[in-house]
Amino acid sequence: MKSPLLSLPGAVPAEGVDEGVAAHYGDLFREQRALADGTGFVDLSHRGVVTVSGEDRLGWLHLLLTQHVSELPAGQATEALILSAHGHIEHALYLVDDGGTVWAHVEPGTQEALIAYLESMKFFYKVEVADRTADVAVVHLPAGSITEVPEGTVVRETPHGRDLFLPRAELESFAAQAGPPAGILAYEALRVEQHRPRLGFETDHRTIPHELGWIGSAVHLQKGCYRGQETVARVQNLGKPPRRLVFLHLDGSEVHLPVPGTEIRLADEGADGRKVGFVTTSVRHHELGPVALALVKRNVPVDARLMAGDTAAAQETVVEP
């Protein structure tokens, strides 16, 4: 969905999966600094919005999600995954319950497949699933923001800021009083700095939660059965994941960032060395310079010097080997 905020001064449209909102408003680093300082907002109105209502909503979702939500207190934010039968990540949901309805925002364009799966699992439970993307927009306020939230707005508050489920008709009026807008590139730069994985960026068709550090934050290990739970338990108790998420400091002298999918090799093995991973997200950070998230093989030494394509890279451990 194309955001009306693309008409704001300086707005440059984002491309790819984030099409529909602004990549930036003319000054990427200023926008990053504003968010880091707790000012401004980010238009995330291209994200899908799904609601689940009905008296059985929490108990029913508890059976389907990786997170423990059967007793989720009203107003408490959480995140959860839906896995395949083999334990691979299919959906990531960012949730809050308002006391009568569970609200979730999801990656752009994934809501239809998510709703189709949820509808197929309703059986006799008293739940109603709805796609609210057309009438509700997600807006992010950074941690520390003192921007006033319109009365009655559903808010999902996390250590990284507040996600507002705002009526889409109020998006422009809210933007007019919410401070300077920041584009999705600024939001992504802070996400990478915080080592937070994103579905479709840090994941591929065979990603399991352990590889990205989603155990705990999105996967509860002390709950009942759900699809893919056997893989989660087996890896947690008997083995190690085949890959691990790392944070890369990239050589700042390079003009171009390594694009997602760029192969990672051990620097000591040279250009013909074996592939040990790939870049998932790369950004330019206002303080750290060029940085990235990447997936590498678990047995890559934590102190190994790496090459992301032609760019030298030093790694920081996100997920322990």
Side-chain angles (χ1 to χ4, degrees), residues 261-302:
T262 298
E263 293 185 352
I264 294 177
R265 304 178 187 278
L266 297 175
D268 293 344
E269 294 186 0
D272 296 326
R274 56 199 167 87
K275 176 186 173 182
V276 297
F278 60 93
V279 172
T280 58
T281 306
S282 58
V283 298
R284 296 191 185 277
H285 190 275
H286 70 286
E287 289 184 339
L288 301 176
V291 293
L293 293 175
L295 274 176
V296 300
K297 293 181 178 179
R298 178 176 56 84
N299 59 3
V300 171
V302 296

Side-chain angles (χ1 to χ4, degrees), residues 60-78:
W60 177 68
L61 284 171
H62 185 78
L63 299 173
L64 305 177
L65 304 180
T66 57
Q67 187 58 274
H68 196 301
V69 297
S70 60
E71 300 171 359
L72 183 67
Q76 180 175 308
T78 191

